[in-house]
Amino acid sequence: MGKAAERTAGRTIGGQLWRAAGLAALAGLAWTARDVPAALGGRLTGARAERAARSAQFRDGTFHNRVATRTMPGGDPDRNLLRELLFGPQRRRPTAPVPLLRPAPAPTTDVERELNVVWYGHASTLIEIEGHRVLIDPVWSDRCSPSAVVGPKRLHEPPVRLDELPTVDAILISHDHYDHLDMATVRELVRRQSAPFLVPLGVGAHLDRWGVPDDRIIELDWSQGHRVGGLEITATAAQHFSGRGLRRDGTLWSSWVVAGAHRKVFYTGDSGYFDGYAEIGAEHGPFDVTLMQIGAYDRAWPGIHMFPEEAVAAHLDLRGDLLLPVHWATFNLALHDWSEPVDRLWAEAKARGVRLAVPRPGERVVVDDPSAVDGWWQTIA
């Protein structure tokens, strides 16, 4: 073969290799993105859409907060959020592994007045109340994203596997953002558990698309309740927004009240500080423990996530006894330091005389006898 022929053959082979590599890359992208359309969830149609339209929170095709609330970052000509995200001085990750615990055995005395909380990280929490188990906003995936390869990645592993969870009586979802509603986790829970999913209006469309049986989907508007065994579980107001794709506010968001015969728990979901907390406290309180969102805040979106000091104020509005912070430590979703939310919360709780528990992920908190706050996070901040 002459040199010219060799060069031609080389170019041909090289082109074939590049095309093969390109096809392999496209195939890889297609494979990794295969679940993205399903993860975006369902759309309001049929009876579900008709029910949403009857809600006082629904108008002009979307759900609304009680008052007009800015849900996108506010304009600040002196601040570049993207530059701050990429090059800001904040320490947005822990400097060492987050300490994880396996829940210790639950106390077995006086089950009628039992009240324990196991925080698994971020907002994922198990309430053990009067012999019942309620799982809140379970997210066990590596990323809170429609994609398995891009999006915020966990800063620590779940302290237990999904197959190690006890049998639960109810699964509560506060809203449809990816860090609170995860398709893979839902599908696994459908397979391993038999509990109903209690969700705000419209969120059932996502569950329906993911194979949750219709008789396990309970959709509630604000102030509506549902009985599960000896518990009355009520959806209550929150100040936030929703959306998994380009469309916003097609489903409702809520906080939750879990009430037994003797004990009561409140969970904020995601919310800015608003006067609804005092109303909820007056109607449903006092609460033995409040699970309060404290992370992912910023002055660019003050109306949809509480600052830590506002979480303390809301806890007092709710007539809460013990405050247990959630929505921090697990996913990097804002520009503040990783440990800043709980540092600010601890200072404000001490200043206002509020009882506080700050468990490690996986640690069981006995609400009537919580461990003293020891600042465990400060050694890895």
Side-chain angles (χ1 to χ4, degrees), residues 117-125 136-137 180 266-270 290-296 311 323-330 341 345 357 359:
V117 176
V118 181
W119 176 60
Y120 297 115
H122 200 59
S124 301
T125 309
I136 293 177
D137 284 352
H180 295 258
F266 178 80
Y267 167 52
T268 57
D270 278 4
T290 65
L291 311 178
M292 306 298 291
Q293 168 258 305
I294 66 164
L323 191 162
L324 194 153
V326 299
H327 206 269
W328 78 284
T330 306
L345 180 80

PDB file of all heavy atoms in Angstrom, residues 117-125 136-137 180 266-270 290-296 311 323-330 341 345 357 359:
ATOM      1  N   VAL A 117     -38.091  11.157  67.498  1.00  0.00           N
ATOM      2  CA  VAL A 117     -37.833  11.627  66.140  1.00  0.00           C
ATOM      3  C   VAL A 117     -36.472  11.106  65.704  1.00  0.00           C
ATOM      4  O   VAL A 117     -35.489  11.233  66.447  1.00  0.00           O
ATOM      5  CB  VAL A 117     -37.852  13.163  66.059  1.00  0.00           C
ATOM      6  CG1 VAL A 117     -37.492  13.632  64.653  1.00  0.00           C
ATOM      7  CG2 VAL A 117     -39.220  13.716  66.462  1.00  0.00           C
ATOM      8  N   VAL A 118     -36.419  10.528  64.503  1.00  0.00           N
ATOM      9  CA  VAL A 118     -35.141  10.118  63.901  1.00  0.00           C
ATOM     10  C   VAL A 118     -34.954  10.964  62.648  1.00  0.00           C
ATOM     11  O   VAL A 118     -35.753  10.892  61.708  1.00  0.00           O
ATOM     12  CB  VAL A 118     -35.126   8.625  63.535  1.00  0.00           C
ATOM     13  CG1 VAL A 118     -33.763   8.252  62.928  1.00  0.00           C
ATOM     14  CG2 VAL A 118     -35.421   7.763  64.750  1.00  0.00           C
ATOM     15  N   TRP A 119     -33.899  11.767  62.651  1.00  0.00           N
ATOM     16  CA  TRP A 119     -33.583  12.624  61.500  1.00  0.00           C
ATOM     17  C   TRP A 119     -32.528  11.915  60.661  1.00  0.00           C
ATOM     18  O   TRP A 119     -31.450  11.581  61.147  1.00  0.00           O
ATOM     19  CB  TRP A 119     -33.060  13.969  61.992  1.00  0.00           C
ATOM     20  CG  TRP A 119     -32.614  14.906  60.919  1.00  0.00           C
ATOM     21  CD1 TRP A 119     -33.356  15.414  59.893  1.00  0.00           C
ATOM     22  CD2 TRP A 119     -31.302  15.477  60.784  1.00  0.00           C
ATOM     23  NE1 TRP A 119     -32.590  16.252  59.120  1.00  0.00           N
ATOM     24  CE2 TRP A 119     -31.334  16.313  59.638  1.00  0.00           C
ATOM     25  CE3 TRP A 119     -30.116  15.365  61.503  1.00  0.00           C
ATOM     26  CZ2 TRP A 119     -30.205  17.029  59.211  1.00  0.00           C
ATOM     27  CZ3 TRP A 119     -29.006  16.075  61.086  1.00  0.00           C
ATOM     28  CH2 TRP A 119     -29.061  16.898  59.955  1.00  0.00           C
ATOM     29  N   TYR A 120     -32.858  11.672  59.385  1.00  0.00           N
ATOM     30  CA  TYR A 120     -31.945  10.953  58.505  1.00  0.00           C
ATOM     31  C   TYR A 120     -31.061  11.879  57.677  1.00  0.00           C
ATOM     32  O   TYR A 120     -30.160  11.412  56.979  1.00  0.00           O
ATOM     33  CB  TYR A 120     -32.738  10.052  57.559  1.00  0.00           C
ATOM     34  CG  TYR A 120     -33.527   8.981  58.265  1.00  0.00           C
ATOM     35  CD1 TYR A 120     -34.917   8.970  58.221  1.00  0.00           C
ATOM     36  CD2 TYR A 120     -32.888   7.975  58.978  1.00  0.00           C
ATOM     37  CE1 TYR A 120     -35.653   7.984  58.862  1.00  0.00           C
ATOM     38  CE2 TYR A 120     -33.611   6.988  59.631  1.00  0.00           C
ATOM     39  CZ  TYR A 120     -34.992   6.996  59.568  1.00  0.00           C
ATOM     40  OH  TYR A 120     -35.705   6.023  60.210  1.00  0.00           O
ATOM     41  N   GLY A 121     -31.303  13.176  57.748  1.00  0.00           N
ATOM     42  CA  GLY A 121     -30.575  14.147  56.953  1.00  0.00           C
ATOM     43  C   GLY A 121     -31.530  14.944  56.091  1.00  0.00           C
ATOM     44  O   GLY A 121     -32.574  14.457  55.650  1.00  0.00           O
ATOM     45  N   HIS A 122     -31.166  16.207  55.827  1.00  0.00           N
ATOM     46  CA  HIS A 122     -32.009  17.153  55.101  1.00  0.00           C
ATOM     47  C   HIS A 122     -33.386  17.186  55.757  1.00  0.00           C
ATOM     48  O   HIS A 122     -33.489  17.437  56.951  1.00  0.00           O
ATOM     49  CB  HIS A 122     -32.053  16.836  53.612  1.00  0.00           C
ATOM     50  CG  HIS A 122     -32.497  18.008  52.803  1.00  0.00           C
ATOM     51  ND1 HIS A 122     -31.816  19.202  52.822  1.00  0.00           N
ATOM     52  CD2 HIS A 122     -33.559  18.201  51.969  1.00  0.00           C
ATOM     53  CE1 HIS A 122     -32.422  20.070  52.034  1.00  0.00           C
ATOM     54  NE2 HIS A 122     -33.498  19.489  51.520  1.00  0.00           N
ATOM     55  N   ALA A 123     -34.456  16.923  54.988  1.00  0.00           N
ATOM     56  CA  ALA A 123     -35.783  16.943  55.597  1.00  0.00           C
ATOM     57  C   ALA A 123     -36.314  15.556  55.909  1.00  0.00           C
ATOM     58  O   ALA A 123     -37.401  15.424  56.482  1.00  0.00           O
ATOM     59  CB  ALA A 123     -36.755  17.676  54.672  1.00  0.00           C
ATOM     60  N   SER A 124     -35.590  14.506  55.543  1.00  0.00           N
ATOM     61  CA  SER A 124     -36.072  13.133  55.726  1.00  0.00           C
ATOM     62  C   SER A 124     -36.061  12.759  57.207  1.00  0.00           C
ATOM     63  O   SER A 124     -34.999  12.741  57.839  1.00  0.00           O
ATOM     64  CB  SER A 124     -35.211  12.163  54.929  1.00  0.00           C
ATOM     65  OG  SER A 124     -35.222  12.485  53.554  1.00  0.00           O
ATOM     66  N   THR A 125     -37.238  12.458  57.734  1.00  0.00           N
ATOM     67  CA  THR A 125     -37.399  12.294  59.173  1.00  0.00           C
ATOM     68  C   THR A 125     -38.446  11.228  59.466  1.00  0.00           C
ATOM     69  O   THR A 125     -39.432  11.100  58.732  1.00  0.00           O
ATOM     70  CB  THR A 125     -37.851  13.627  59.821  1.00  0.00           C
ATOM     71  OG1 THR A 125     -36.982  14.684  59.410  1.00  0.00           O
ATOM     72  CG2 THR A 125     -37.834  13.542  61.331  1.00  0.00           C
ATOM     73  N   ILE A 136     -41.367  11.305  56.781  1.00  0.00           N
ATOM     74  CA  ILE A 136     -41.542  12.626  56.176  1.00  0.00           C
ATOM     75  C   ILE A 136     -40.503  12.857  55.090  1.00  0.00           C
ATOM     76  O   ILE A 136     -39.310  12.622  55.290  1.00  0.00           O
ATOM     77  CB  ILE A 136     -41.440  13.731  57.249  1.00  0.00           C
ATOM     78  CG1 ILE A 136     -42.623  13.642  58.214  1.00  0.00           C
ATOM     79  CG2 ILE A 136     -41.384  15.109  56.616  1.00  0.00           C
ATOM     80  CD1 ILE A 136     -42.551  14.659  59.334  1.00  0.00           C
ATOM     81  N   ASP A 137     -40.954  13.319  53.938  1.00  0.00           N
ATOM     82  CA  ASP A 137     -40.107  13.764  52.824  1.00  0.00           C
ATOM     83  C   ASP A 137     -38.876  12.868  52.609  1.00  0.00           C
ATOM     84  O   ASP A 137     -37.734  13.341  52.631  1.00  0.00           O
ATOM     85  CB  ASP A 137     -39.670  15.214  53.040  1.00  0.00           C
ATOM     86  CG  ASP A 137     -40.787  16.208  52.738  1.00  0.00           C
ATOM     87  OD1 ASP A 137     -41.841  15.789  52.229  1.00  0.00           O
ATOM     88  OD2 ASP A 137     -40.598  17.410  53.016  1.00  0.00           O
ATOM     89  N   HIS A 180     -37.296  17.001  48.299  1.00  0.00           N
ATOM     90  CA  HIS A 180     -38.360  16.535  49.182  1.00  0.00           C
ATOM     91  C   HIS A 180     -39.168  15.385  48.578  1.00  0.00           C
ATOM     92  O   HIS A 180     -39.817  14.640  49.319  1.00  0.00           O
ATOM     93  CB  HIS A 180     -39.309  17.684  49.531  1.00  0.00           C
ATOM     94  CG  HIS A 180     -38.657  18.771  50.325  1.00  0.00           C
ATOM     95  ND1 HIS A 180     -38.827  18.916  51.687  1.00  0.00           N
ATOM     96  CD2 HIS A 180     -37.813  19.766  49.953  1.00  0.00           C
ATOM     97  CE1 HIS A 180     -38.115  19.953  52.113  1.00  0.00           C
ATOM     98  NE2 HIS A 180     -37.490  20.481  51.078  1.00  0.00           N
ATOM     99  N   PHE A 266     -45.303  19.235  64.676  1.00  0.00           N
ATOM    100  CA  PHE A 266     -45.481  20.122  63.522  1.00  0.00           C
ATOM    101  C   PHE A 266     -44.232  20.068  62.653  1.00  0.00           C
ATOM    102  O   PHE A 266     -43.107  20.062  63.164  1.00  0.00           O
ATOM    103  CB  PHE A 266     -45.713  21.569  63.960  1.00  0.00           C
ATOM    104  CG  PHE A 266     -45.843  22.526  62.802  1.00  0.00           C
ATOM    105  CD1 PHE A 266     -47.029  22.634  62.102  1.00  0.00           C
ATOM    106  CD2 PHE A 266     -44.755  23.297  62.390  1.00  0.00           C
ATOM    107  CE1 PHE A 266     -47.146  23.490  61.012  1.00  0.00           C
ATOM    108  CE2 PHE A 266     -44.862  24.159  61.306  1.00  0.00           C
ATOM    109  CZ  PHE A 266     -46.063  24.246  60.618  1.00  0.00           C
ATOM    110  N   TYR A 267     -44.446  20.045  61.338  1.00  0.00           N
ATOM    111  CA  TYR A 267     -43.348  20.083  60.368  1.00  0.00           C
ATOM    112  C   TYR A 267     -43.608  21.215  59.384  1.00  0.00           C
ATOM    113  O   TYR A 267     -44.671  21.291  58.773  1.00  0.00           O
ATOM    114  CB  TYR A 267     -43.260  18.740  59.637  1.00  0.00           C
ATOM    115  CG  TYR A 267     -42.377  18.755  58.409  1.00  0.00           C
ATOM    116  CD1 TYR A 267     -41.068  19.243  58.471  1.00  0.00           C
ATOM    117  CD2 TYR A 267     -42.839  18.281  57.188  1.00  0.00           C
ATOM    118  CE1 TYR A 267     -40.263  19.265  57.352  1.00  0.00           C
ATOM    119  CE2 TYR A 267     -42.037  18.278  56.066  1.00  0.00           C
ATOM    120  CZ  TYR A 267     -40.746  18.777  56.146  1.00  0.00           C
ATOM    121  OH  TYR A 267     -39.950  18.799  55.017  1.00  0.00           O
ATOM    122  N   THR A 268     -42.606  22.065  59.186  1.00  0.00           N
ATOM    123  CA  THR A 268     -42.790  23.250  58.344  1.00  0.00           C
ATOM    124  C   THR A 268     -42.875  22.957  56.857  1.00  0.00           C
ATOM    125  O   THR A 268     -43.449  23.744  56.101  1.00  0.00           O
ATOM    126  CB  THR A 268     -41.610  24.228  58.519  1.00  0.00           C
ATOM    127  OG1 THR A 268     -40.388  23.543  58.212  1.00  0.00           O
ATOM    128  CG2 THR A 268     -41.562  24.801  59.917  1.00  0.00           C
ATOM    129  N   GLY A 269     -42.274  21.820  56.386  1.00  0.00           N
ATOM    130  CA  GLY A 269     -41.970  21.754  54.965  1.00  0.00           C
ATOM    131  C   GLY A 269     -40.994  22.876  54.654  1.00  0.00           C
ATOM    132  O   GLY A 269     -40.194  23.290  55.511  1.00  0.00           O
ATOM    133  N   ASP A 270     -41.019  23.384  53.441  1.00  0.00           N
ATOM    134  CA  ASP A 270     -40.235  24.579  53.098  1.00  0.00           C
ATOM    135  C   ASP A 270     -41.159  25.783  53.164  1.00  0.00           C
ATOM    136  O   ASP A 270     -42.276  25.753  52.618  1.00  0.00           O
ATOM    137  CB  ASP A 270     -39.662  24.464  51.685  1.00  0.00           C
ATOM    138  CG  ASP A 270     -38.384  23.649  51.638  1.00  0.00           C
ATOM    139  OD1 ASP A 270     -37.991  23.111  52.695  1.00  0.00           O
ATOM    140  OD2 ASP A 270     -37.789  23.543  50.557  1.00  0.00           O
ATOM    141  N   THR A 290     -41.373  20.688  67.201  1.00  0.00           N
ATOM    142  CA  THR A 290     -41.517  21.251  65.866  1.00  0.00           C
ATOM    143  C   THR A 290     -40.280  20.903  65.055  1.00  0.00           C
ATOM    144  O   THR A 290     -39.150  20.985  65.551  1.00  0.00           O
ATOM    145  CB  THR A 290     -41.679  22.780  65.893  1.00  0.00           C
ATOM    146  OG1 THR A 290     -40.479  23.387  66.382  1.00  0.00           O
ATOM    147  CG2 THR A 290     -42.863  23.198  66.749  1.00  0.00           C
ATOM    148  N   LEU A 291     -40.492  20.463  63.819  1.00  0.00           N
ATOM    149  CA  LEU A 291     -39.413  20.180  62.875  1.00  0.00           C
ATOM    150  C   LEU A 291     -39.324  21.360  61.943  1.00  0.00           C
ATOM    151  O   LEU A 291     -40.183  21.571  61.079  1.00  0.00           O
ATOM    152  CB  LEU A 291     -39.713  18.893  62.099  1.00  0.00           C
ATOM    153  CG  LEU A 291     -40.127  17.684  62.940  1.00  0.00           C
ATOM    154  CD1 LEU A 291     -40.454  16.490  62.053  1.00  0.00           C
ATOM    155  CD2 LEU A 291     -39.052  17.324  63.957  1.00  0.00           C
ATOM    156  N   MET A 292     -38.285  22.178  62.122  1.00  0.00           N
ATOM    157  CA  MET A 292     -38.237  23.493  61.496  1.00  0.00           C
ATOM    158  C   MET A 292     -37.162  23.579  60.421  1.00  0.00           C
ATOM    159  O   MET A 292     -35.994  23.250  60.658  1.00  0.00           O
ATOM    160  CB  MET A 292     -37.954  24.578  62.556  1.00  0.00           C
ATOM    161  CG  MET A 292     -38.914  24.559  63.739  1.00  0.00           C
ATOM    162  SD  MET A 292     -40.644  24.877  63.284  1.00  0.00           S
ATOM    163  CE  MET A 292     -40.555  26.612  62.828  1.00  0.00           C
ATOM    164  N   GLN A 293     -37.551  24.021  59.240  1.00  0.00           N
ATOM    165  CA  GLN A 293     -36.599  24.263  58.147  1.00  0.00           C
ATOM    166  C   GLN A 293     -35.688  25.417  58.523  1.00  0.00           C
ATOM    167  O   GLN A 293     -36.149  26.495  58.891  1.00  0.00           O
ATOM    168  CB  GLN A 293     -37.361  24.582  56.859  1.00  0.00           C
ATOM    169  CG  GLN A 293     -36.495  25.125  55.735  1.00  0.00           C
ATOM    170  CD  GLN A 293     -36.618  26.641  55.595  1.00  0.00           C
ATOM    171  OE1 GLN A 293     -37.716  27.168  55.448  1.00  0.00           O
ATOM    172  NE2 GLN A 293     -35.494  27.333  55.659  1.00  0.00           N
ATOM    173  N   ILE A 294     -34.360  25.188  58.416  1.00  0.00           N
ATOM    174  CA  ILE A 294     -33.427  26.264  58.777  1.00  0.00           C
ATOM    175  C   ILE A 294     -32.400  26.555  57.693  1.00  0.00           C
ATOM    176  O   ILE A 294     -31.673  27.549  57.799  1.00  0.00           O
ATOM    177  CB  ILE A 294     -32.675  25.959  60.092  1.00  0.00           C
ATOM    178  CG1 ILE A 294     -31.742  24.750  59.916  1.00  0.00           C
ATOM    179  CG2 ILE A 294     -33.638  25.762  61.251  1.00  0.00           C
ATOM    180  CD1 ILE A 294     -30.700  24.619  61.014  1.00  0.00           C
ATOM    181  N   GLY A 295     -32.277  25.729  56.652  1.00  0.00           N
ATOM    182  CA  GLY A 295     -31.220  25.926  55.667  1.00  0.00           C
ATOM    183  C   GLY A 295     -31.735  26.375  54.323  1.00  0.00           C
ATOM    184  O   GLY A 295     -32.937  26.429  54.064  1.00  0.00           O
ATOM    185  N   ALA A 296     -30.788  26.703  53.428  1.00  0.00           N
ATOM    186  CA  ALA A 296     -31.057  27.119  52.039  1.00  0.00           C
ATOM    187  C   ALA A 296     -31.726  28.474  51.955  1.00  0.00           C
ATOM    188  O   ALA A 296     -32.484  28.748  51.027  1.00  0.00           O
ATOM    189  CB  ALA A 296     -31.868  26.059  51.294  1.00  0.00           C
ATOM    190  N   ALA A 311     -36.922  30.848  62.151  1.00  0.00           N
ATOM    191  CA  ALA A 311     -37.383  29.516  62.572  1.00  0.00           C
ATOM    192  C   ALA A 311     -37.671  29.493  64.066  1.00  0.00           C
ATOM    193  O   ALA A 311     -38.643  28.863  64.513  1.00  0.00           O
ATOM    194  CB  ALA A 311     -36.344  28.456  62.199  1.00  0.00           C
ATOM    195  N   LEU A 323     -37.538  22.274  69.780  1.00  0.00           N
ATOM    196  CA  LEU A 323     -37.287  22.605  68.374  1.00  0.00           C
ATOM    197  C   LEU A 323     -36.208  21.680  67.839  1.00  0.00           C
ATOM    198  O   LEU A 323     -35.125  21.566  68.431  1.00  0.00           O
ATOM    199  CB  LEU A 323     -36.855  24.067  68.238  1.00  0.00           C
ATOM    200  CG  LEU A 323     -36.782  24.687  66.835  1.00  0.00           C
ATOM    201  CD1 LEU A 323     -36.777  26.219  66.931  1.00  0.00           C
ATOM    202  CD2 LEU A 323     -35.571  24.233  66.029  1.00  0.00           C
ATOM    203  N   LEU A 324     -36.504  21.025  66.707  1.00  0.00           N
ATOM    204  CA  LEU A 324     -35.530  20.156  66.056  1.00  0.00           C
ATOM    205  C   LEU A 324     -35.333  20.652  64.620  1.00  0.00           C
ATOM    206  O   LEU A 324     -36.278  20.639  63.831  1.00  0.00           O
ATOM    207  CB  LEU A 324     -36.014  18.703  66.073  1.00  0.00           C
ATOM    208  CG  LEU A 324     -34.984  17.630  65.739  1.00  0.00           C
ATOM    209  CD1 LEU A 324     -35.352  16.309  66.416  1.00  0.00           C
ATOM    210  CD2 LEU A 324     -34.858  17.404  64.231  1.00  0.00           C
ATOM    211  N   PRO A 325     -34.140  21.119  64.268  1.00  0.00           N
ATOM    212  CA  PRO A 325     -33.919  21.684  62.942  1.00  0.00           C
ATOM    213  C   PRO A 325     -33.777  20.617  61.866  1.00  0.00           C
ATOM    214  O   PRO A 325     -33.158  19.569  62.075  1.00  0.00           O
ATOM    215  CB  PRO A 325     -32.617  22.471  63.104  1.00  0.00           C
ATOM    216  CG  PRO A 325     -31.871  21.720  64.174  1.00  0.00           C
ATOM    217  CD  PRO A 325     -32.932  21.219  65.109  1.00  0.00           C
ATOM    218  N   VAL A 326     -34.343  20.900  60.703  1.00  0.00           N
ATOM    219  CA  VAL A 326     -34.180  20.040  59.527  1.00  0.00           C
ATOM    220  C   VAL A 326     -33.818  20.927  58.341  1.00  0.00           C
ATOM    221  O   VAL A 326     -33.714  22.141  58.457  1.00  0.00           O
ATOM    222  CB  VAL A 326     -35.453  19.224  59.234  1.00  0.00           C
ATOM    223  CG1 VAL A 326     -35.790  18.303  60.394  1.00  0.00           C
ATOM    224  CG2 VAL A 326     -36.643  20.135  58.924  1.00  0.00           C
ATOM    225  N   HIS A 327     -33.606  20.284  57.186  1.00  0.00           N
ATOM    226  CA  HIS A 327     -33.303  21.010  55.942  1.00  0.00           C
ATOM    227  C   HIS A 327     -31.941  21.687  56.001  1.00  0.00           C
ATOM    228  O   HIS A 327     -31.759  22.834  55.621  1.00  0.00           O
ATOM    229  CB  HIS A 327     -34.404  22.038  55.641  1.00  0.00           C
ATOM    230  CG  HIS A 327     -34.544  22.365  54.181  1.00  0.00           C
ATOM    231  ND1 HIS A 327     -33.861  23.398  53.573  1.00  0.00           N
ATOM    232  CD2 HIS A 327     -35.301  21.811  53.203  1.00  0.00           C
ATOM    233  CE1 HIS A 327     -34.190  23.462  52.291  1.00  0.00           C
ATOM    234  NE2 HIS A 327     -35.057  22.501  52.044  1.00  0.00           N
ATOM    235  N   TRP A 328     -30.973  20.932  56.469  1.00  0.00           N
ATOM    236  CA  TRP A 328     -29.593  21.417  56.458  1.00  0.00           C
ATOM    237  C   TRP A 328     -28.680  20.185  56.458  1.00  0.00           C
ATOM    238  O   TRP A 328     -29.128  19.067  56.621  1.00  0.00           O
ATOM    239  CB  TRP A 328     -29.308  22.306  57.683  1.00  0.00           C
ATOM    240  CG  TRP A 328     -29.081  21.561  58.965  1.00  0.00           C
ATOM    241  CD1 TRP A 328     -30.017  20.959  59.753  1.00  0.00           C
ATOM    242  CD2 TRP A 328     -27.820  21.318  59.603  1.00  0.00           C
ATOM    243  NE1 TRP A 328     -29.434  20.355  60.830  1.00  0.00           N
ATOM    244  CE2 TRP A 328     -28.082  20.559  60.776  1.00  0.00           C
ATOM    245  CE3 TRP A 328     -26.498  21.665  59.295  1.00  0.00           C
ATOM    246  CZ2 TRP A 328     -27.062  20.153  61.633  1.00  0.00           C
ATOM    247  CZ3 TRP A 328     -25.488  21.254  60.158  1.00  0.00           C
ATOM    248  CH2 TRP A 328     -25.784  20.515  61.311  1.00  0.00           C
ATOM    249  N   ALA A 329     -27.396  20.384  56.204  1.00  0.00           N
ATOM    250  CA  ALA A 329     -26.319  19.395  56.377  1.00  0.00           C
ATOM    251  C   ALA A 329     -26.155  18.398  55.240  1.00  0.00           C
ATOM    252  O   ALA A 329     -25.070  17.847  55.080  1.00  0.00           O
ATOM    253  CB  ALA A 329     -26.493  18.604  57.688  1.00  0.00           C
ATOM    254  N   THR A 330     -27.177  18.131  54.426  1.00  0.00           N
ATOM    255  CA  THR A 330     -27.130  17.005  53.493  1.00  0.00           C
ATOM    256  C   THR A 330     -26.926  17.426  52.048  1.00  0.00           C
ATOM    257  O   THR A 330     -26.162  16.776  51.321  1.00  0.00           O
ATOM    258  CB  THR A 330     -28.420  16.185  53.610  1.00  0.00           C
ATOM    259  OG1 THR A 330     -28.619  15.817  54.988  1.00  0.00           O
ATOM    260  CG2 THR A 330     -28.378  14.934  52.749  1.00  0.00           C
ATOM    261  N   PRO A 341     -26.397  27.717  59.299  1.00  0.00           N
ATOM    262  CA  PRO A 341     -27.778  27.665  59.791  1.00  0.00           C
ATOM    263  C   PRO A 341     -27.892  27.212  61.236  1.00  0.00           C
ATOM    264  O   PRO A 341     -28.620  27.814  62.036  1.00  0.00           O
ATOM    265  CB  PRO A 341     -28.450  26.666  58.833  1.00  0.00           C
ATOM    266  CG  PRO A 341     -27.644  26.719  57.592  1.00  0.00           C
ATOM    267  CD  PRO A 341     -26.235  26.940  58.051  1.00  0.00           C
ATOM    268  N   LEU A 345     -28.984  29.245  64.584  1.00  0.00           N
ATOM    269  CA  LEU A 345     -30.138  28.729  65.317  1.00  0.00           C
ATOM    270  C   LEU A 345     -29.814  28.534  66.789  1.00  0.00           C
ATOM    271  O   LEU A 345     -30.603  28.914  67.677  1.00  0.00           O
ATOM    272  CB  LEU A 345     -30.580  27.403  64.703  1.00  0.00           C
ATOM    273  CG  LEU A 345     -31.792  26.752  65.373  1.00  0.00           C
ATOM    274  CD1 LEU A 345     -33.070  27.406  64.888  1.00  0.00           C
ATOM    275  CD2 LEU A 345     -31.827  25.257  65.116  1.00  0.00           C
ATOM    276  N   ALA A 357     -32.821  20.550  70.137  1.00  0.00           N
ATOM    277  CA  ALA A 357     -32.091  19.299  69.922  1.00  0.00           C
ATOM    278  C   ALA A 357     -31.481  19.364  68.531  1.00  0.00           C
ATOM    279  O   ALA A 357     -32.159  19.726  67.569  1.00  0.00           O
ATOM    280  CB  ALA A 357     -33.018  18.097  70.034  1.00  0.00           C
ATOM    281  N   PRO A 359     -29.617  16.660  66.476  1.00  0.00           N
ATOM    282  CA  PRO A 359     -29.075  15.299  66.363  1.00  0.00           C
ATOM    283  C   PRO A 359     -28.123  15.148  65.186  1.00  0.00           C
ATOM    284  O   PRO A 359     -28.177  15.909  64.214  1.00  0.00           O
ATOM    285  CB  PRO A 359     -30.328  14.451  66.147  1.00  0.00           C
ATOM    286  CG  PRO A 359     -31.279  15.380  65.449  1.00  0.00           C
ATOM    287  CD  PRO A 359     -31.020  16.740  66.048  1.00  0.00           C
TER     288      PRO A 359
END
